[in-house]
Amino acid sequence: PGTVATTSIFGLVSTCGSDMMGAVRNRFLYPFGLATYNTIRGWMRNQYAYYHQAPEWKLAVKGGDMCQLNPGANLAGHLRTGLSVTDAGMGKIELLIDALDPRRDVKAPKGTTAVNIKAVAAATAFDKNHYHTVVAEEQWLVPYSQQMLPPNKMLLDTGAQAGAIAIVMLAVEHYTGHPLPTD
């Protein structure tokens, strides 16, 4: 009985997780290959096993609740400022980035002129028979300079209903050369 339940849970997580990753894969510069899919599905399976009996799963960005999709760029080492993620209700997810001095708080390659901080939320009903992923995206393009910037709030409106599962992904993209990108 335990093996059947575990197989069923992984099947559900695999189906929903694959759909979610497929919906966001072209929004990032990092290519999503089989290893990326396996990483996210394994993480989702572990989260489900831990939280599935909880009436509500809290959004978190600390410790074991984070999943690193790009093993070549640890986000904690590239973006050194505080982050908080909260459920604002009605399918809206709020991401707050603390005050930021780009040169001090963002690790970037030589020649960087701007940094794009991209937040993407994917949400779907956690049901193998009735899933459809909705994606919301916000970006914060900042000049790579030594100027303190105030906190920034990003609102990701997924329109998700109660019972949906959401994943919030964050990326730091570096731009080199001039002029600064406008989109």
Side-chain angles (χ1 to χ4, degrees):
T3 304
V4 172
T6 300
T7 303
S8 176
I9 290 169
F10 187 75
L12 176 60
V13 167
S14 185
T15 299
C16 292
S18 292
D19 188 66
M20 293 171 90
M21 290 300 95
V24 301
R25 71 179 290 153
N26 293 329
R27 294 174 184 261
F28 295 98
L29 299 177
Y30 170 71
F32 283 30
L34 182 58
T36 306
Y37 279 83
N38 288 340
T39 297
I40 194 67
R41 290 184 299 204
W43 176 79
M44 287 178 70
R45 192 266 177 246
N46 292 341
Q47 293 291 303
Y48 184 84
Y50 186 78
Y51 291 110
H52 76 279
Q53 292 186 359
E56 185 175 320
W57 297 7
K58 298 293 182 191
L59 293 169
V61 294
K62 300 285 184 202
D65 286 339
M66 286 185 71
C67 177
Q68 187 68 39
L69 293 182
N70 182 353
N74 181 351
L75 183 62
H78 284 79
L79 182 62
R80 298 179 292 263
T81 191
L83 301 169
S84 63
V85 180
T86 56
D87 181 349
M90 305 292 292
K92 294 176 178 71
I93 298 168
E94 185 178 279
L95 174 69
L96 180 65
I97 302 171
D98 288 349
L100 178 73
D101 176 343
R103 291 245 184 215
R104 185 191 74 210
D105 298 328
V106 180
K107 181 180 175 184
K110 186 177 180 178
T112 296
T113 57
V115 176
N116 187 40
I117 301 172
K118 183 185 295 186
V120 177
T124 188
F126 204 54
D127 178 344
K128 194 176 354 183
N129 299 315
H130 302 97
Y131 65 90
H132 171 70
T133 298
V134 177
V135 178
E137 178 179 324
E138 288 288 329
Q139 299 184 49
W140 184 24
L141 182 64
V142 299
Y144 194 63
S145 63
Q146 204 162 5
Q147 174 187 351
M148 189 58 120
L149 301 173
N152 188 319
K153 187 186 305 183
M154 296 181 177
L155 188 63
L156 301 162
D157 188 355
T158 66
Q161 301 293 317
I165 186 168
I167 297 175
V168 178
M169 292 157 274
L170 193 66
V172 176
E173 301 171 343
H174 308 108
Y175 292 97
T176 58
H178 294 281
L180 292 180
T182 57
D183 284 333

